[in-house]
Amino acid sequence: MDSMASAKDRSLPKSSLLQKVTPLEGRRFVVVSNRAPFAHVRDGAGVTVEKPPSGLTLALEPMMQATQGTWIANASGNADHEFVDERGHVRQTEEIGYHLRRLFLPPRLTEDFYTGFSNSALWPLCHIAYHQPRFEERWWRAYVRANGLFAEAVADEIGEDPAVVFVQDFQLALLPAMIRERRPQALIAQFWHIPWPNPEAFRVCPWRRELLHGLLGNDLLGFHLLYHCNNFLDTVDRELQVRVERESHGVMAQDRLTTVAAFPLSVDYARIHRRVQQPDAREAAARLRRQRAQNRKLVLSVERMDYTKGILERIGAIHRLFDRHPELKETVSFVHIATPSRTGVRAYRDYTAAVDRAILRVNTAHGRPDWQPVQAIHQYVEPEKIWNWYHAADAVVVSSLHDGMNLVSKEYVAAGRDDGVLFLSEFTGASRELREAVFINPYATDAFADAMAAGLAMPEAERRERMRRLRLRVANADVGAWVHDILRAIHQREFDAQNALFTPRARARGWKGPAAVRAGGGDLEAAAAPGPARAGSY
Ligand code: GDG
């Protein structure tokens, strides 16, 4: 399990997102993800509720609270089994505001499904980061089996109820078709949080067709970018004998439509921005500056310890920065917060060791008795503290080699100072929106170093103007917009599906009109209420 935080932020004010969510009339709402939003962990002092370092949880919790939904996920805490009933439902969740049903996948299966196929095959397959995916048959079998167990849990959970099932991410690519087989009445949507590569890259996967068939069980499939949607449609077109409808952005397979659309994920701008303005947060930020940077500039990075984040490339560029600009020595301190991640995967352990060595090299080459160029914090830091760090920083560097979106860049825009600078890799999804960032190519070490030097010397007026514009962008397209657009698109799909009932074929089959649909749980008027979805418009 990745590192987890204590559940302190449960006491944070409830998000304003709640007002923005359109309830899904007449349908239950079920979210399925591998990672659970919280876990019960027992240590010497007793049991605490811990949350993973995940932008996903922060995004989905308000959605769950607004819909009073059920979240199905694999258990991860050593005391999780003590707090569930016989079907795996966590007892007493009033305070949390939604339900959690835990699956207890056997450890060996989790190892092969999660550490194996998900993180060592699919993750490198989908990120163009020159890291070779490994395809072990044993992992694939575990992936199929684990997806099957999730499907059983979903089928048991929703029974014959009309429900919306919202599946998360690349660990569950087979799940939609498996749910469809068991519960044809369900409306199924999925969000794919990582990039979808081009067909050439995806072609090396021995089980590519099975994965695609699984995903085509969805009514709606969302990616961060239109670019990823197009890559997906190209891949389907190349691999399967189905109809790809370019204009409506969908795939027709076995008389069923899967709509493919872009929904760029974002952060809760207002909540983060408000929080860092409070006096205790400002004091904390000032303290961090004093401790870590004294009178120097503070340049920050925050990420999971992952090779796709370009951490080695960034440290290489910092090394080069001081080679090329020795006058900058002692004027700037780089602080690098990297939460340990996927420590069960060997590539991640090796990467951590390589990062430690690279930091030692740059500190040895350029450090002075009272100044280290790079300070590393390789541990989990609580969300509010991360926001204080953003507020303390003069600049943040995001150096991903490939990133579906990258929420760190958007969090910084929400929490940073008015005159802060964002250095952003052009290979992040976020670079499509955050146009006033200083763009860097993590592979081009010299240019990366020069861009940092130029950004650090940028006049204050320009820094402020860039940050002002960045803030407008993130405030206008916050996570509330993401939730809203996805729910709207789900409504739209339901409406389209019911429209199909008006066809002569449906009438011939004895369809009785909208009242019958309502009796069956779907609400035609409610489904008709939203305007056209923004889906597909990015
Ligand atoms: C995947 C995709 C996509 C990190 N360390 C700590 C910590 N974090 C938080 C950050 C941020 C989240 O984790 C990371 O989100 P990212 O988007 O930057 O990256 P991934 O984890 O790779 O997420 C990515 C995302 O899914 C959502 O769809 O954007 O492209 O790869 O919120 O703040 N949080 C805390 N302590 C840490 O030490 N509290």
Side-chain angles (χ1 to χ4, degrees):
M1 183 177 67
D2 287 349
S3 57
M4 310 268 275
S6 77
K8 275 207 181 129
D9 71 309
R10 281 198 190 298
S11 57
L12 292 176
K14 285 256 156 51
S15 163
S16 56
L17 292 181
L18 289 179
Q19 287 121 43
K20 294 194 183 175
V21 173
T22 327
L24 293 157
E25 310 272 344
R27 284 183 179 267
R28 290 186 57 192
F29 190 65
V30 176
V31 160
V32 196
S33 66
N34 172 59
R35 171 68 65 85
F38 60 89
H40 285 99
V41 177
R42 181 181 291 285
D43 57 22
V47 175
T48 49
V49 176
E50 296 190 345
K51 299 178 81 175
S54 143
L56 177 70
T57 308
L58 289 177
L60 288 182
E61 275 202 329
M63 195 171 184
M64 296 302 294
Q65 287 156 349
T67 55
Q68 296 275 299
T70 300
W71 192 321
I72 301 179
N74 196 13
S76 54
N78 60 5
D80 276 354
H81 57 280
E82 297 173 34
F83 293 86
V84 295
D85 66 17
E86 64 287 351
R87 286 169 82 212
H89 291 113
V90 175
R91 291 187 294 263
Q92 292 166 343
T93 47
E94 295 80 15
E95 204 189 313
I96 292 157
Y98 61 91
H99 308 283
L100 174 65
R101 177 178 177 146
R102 288 180 172 143
L103 247 79
F104 292 88
L105 299 186
R108 178 70 194 268
L109 183 72
T110 301
E111 169 79 16
D112 285 348
F113 146 72
Y114 178 68
T115 307
F117 197 75
S118 299
N119 290 337
S120 306
L122 274 181
W123 177 267
L125 177 72
C126 290
H127 288 89
I128 315 278
Y130 306 102
H131 200 95
Q132 189 169 334
R134 288 178 56 201
F135 299 107
E136 302 284 342
E137 276 194 18
R138 193 181 81 237
W139 295 348
W140 169 248
R141 283 197 299 274
Y143 189 83
V144 176
R145 171 108 186 91
N147 274 250
L149 292 171
F150 274 97
E152 294 299 333
V154 173
D156 180 66
E157 184 62 39
I158 65 178
E160 300 304 320
D161 292 347
V164 171
V165 183
F166 187 24
V167 179
Q168 302 302 315
D169 228 354
F170 65 100
Q171 299 90 356
L172 300 173
L174 303 176
L175 183 59
M178 290 173 165
I179 299 172
R180 167 95 38 224
E181 213 175 276
R182 292 164 173 83
R183 296 289 181 256
Q185 88 280 8
L187 197 61
I188 308 170
Q190 182 162 21
F191 193 76
W192 192 264
H193 290 259
I194 65 176
W196 191 278
N198 60 49
E200 276 312 312
F202 196 70
R203 211 159 74 106
V204 301
C205 177
W207 302 287
R208 55 193 181 277
R209 296 196 183 95
E210 287 85 340
L211 291 167
L212 293 172
H213 278 301
L215 289 168
L216 292 180
N218 282 300
D219 293 293
L220 176 72
L221 176 58
F223 294 94
H224 288 295
L225 305 182
L226 190 56
Y227 183 58
H228 302 151
C229 296
N230 288 334
N231 277 347
F232 178 79
L233 293 177
D234 289 347
T235 308
V236 168
D237 212 4
R238 176 83 68 93
E239 298 292 345
L240 304 180
Q241 299 290 329
V242 294
R243 203 167 84 233
V244 172
E245 300 188 345
R246 297 281 166 182
E247 203 159 316
S248 60
H249 254 247
V251 180
M252 265 318 246
Q254 294 169 342
D255 260 356
R256 275 200 45 264
L257 176 70
T258 300
T259 302
V260 179
F263 305 92
L265 185 54
S266 191
V267 298
D268 195 343
Y269 178 89
R271 176 182 172 196
I272 300 175
H273 193 65
R274 261 199 319 268
R275 183 66 192 101
V276 294
Q277 307 300 335
Q278 284 160 7
D280 60 324
R282 281 169 172 268
E283 269 165 38
R287 225 173 13 251
L288 289 171
R289 275 185 78 78
R290 277 198 305 276
Q291 286 165 358
R292 296 288 181 160
Q294 284 102 23
N295 295 323
R296 304 181 176 108
K297 289 202 164 171
L298 195 164
V299 181
L300 178 72
S301 305
V302 176
E303 61 245 318
R304 286 181 304 100
M305 181 66 89
D306 190 304
Y307 54 84
T308 62
K309 302 296 178 187
I311 302 171
L312 278 179
E313 286 73 5
R314 185 175 68 239
I315 296 167
I318 294 169
H319 204 131
R320 192 68 53 88
L321 173 75
F322 294 117
D323 286 343
R324 288 163 80 98
H325 302 276
E327 74 283 2
L328 290 178
K329 288 188 188 185
E330 293 190 89
T331 68
V332 50
S333 291
F334 287 84
V335 172
H336 136 116
I337 302 179
T339 322
S341 180
R342 304 178 187 173
T343 44
V345 182
R346 174 143 191 208
Y348 283 70
R349 293 196 300 274
D350 293 350
Y351 192 73
T352 307
V355 166
D356 286 338
R357 286 195 299 274
I359 292 175
L360 187 65
R361 269 198 305 277
V362 62
N363 284 346
T364 310
H366 293 298
R368 304 231 163 118
D370 59 349
W371 171 74
Q372 296 281 286
V374 179
Q375 302 170 39
I377 302 177
H378 290 179
Q379 68 190 43
Y380 178 80
V381 181
E382 285 172 22
E384 289 204 44
K385 292 199 176 136
I386 295 274
W387 302 345
N388 294 341
W389 270 108
Y390 291 138
H391 201 70
D394 292 281
V396 158
V397 192
V398 172
S399 52
S400 312
L401 305 181
H402 201 187
D403 218 330
M405 172 52 67
N406 187 272
L407 296 180
V408 165
S409 52
K410 292 187 174 182
E411 287 166 0
Y412 174 56
V413 168
R417 292 208 308 268
D418 291 345
D419 59 352
V421 177
L422 173 63
F423 296 100
L424 182 60
S425 161
E426 55 188 286
F427 308 124
T428 57
S431 69
R432 304 291 208 284
E433 294 172 73
L434 305 182
R435 305 305 303 169
E436 290 79 16
V438 176
F439 290 115
I440 54 105
N441 173 350
Y443 292 98
T445 311
D446 292 308
F448 186 172
D450 288 348
M452 286 196 286
L456 289 171
M458 192 187 281
E460 184 184 338
E462 183 178 348
R463 281 185 275 137
R464 285 183 178 275
E465 181 56 17
R466 284 180 186 245
M467 186 51 87
R468 191 183 69 79
R469 292 179 183 217
L470 287 169
R471 290 222 218 269
L472 280 176
R473 290 183 187 277
V474 180
N476 283 332
D478 66 355
V479 67
W482 182 82
V483 167
H484 184 262
D485 287 355
I486 287 199
L487 289 181
R488 214 165 141 127
I490 290 174
H491 263 312
Q492 190 70 36
R493 273 312 314 258
E494 176 166 43
F495 188 46
D496 292 347
Q498 289 175 356
N499 266 348
L501 297 176
F502 287 104
T503 60
R505 226 167 87 197
R507 286 183 193 285
R509 276 197 243 118
W511 183 64
K512 298 281 190 318
V517 176
R518 263 199 301 278
D523 184 331
L524 198 62
E525 280 98 77
R534 247 165 73 195
S537 62
Y538 292 97

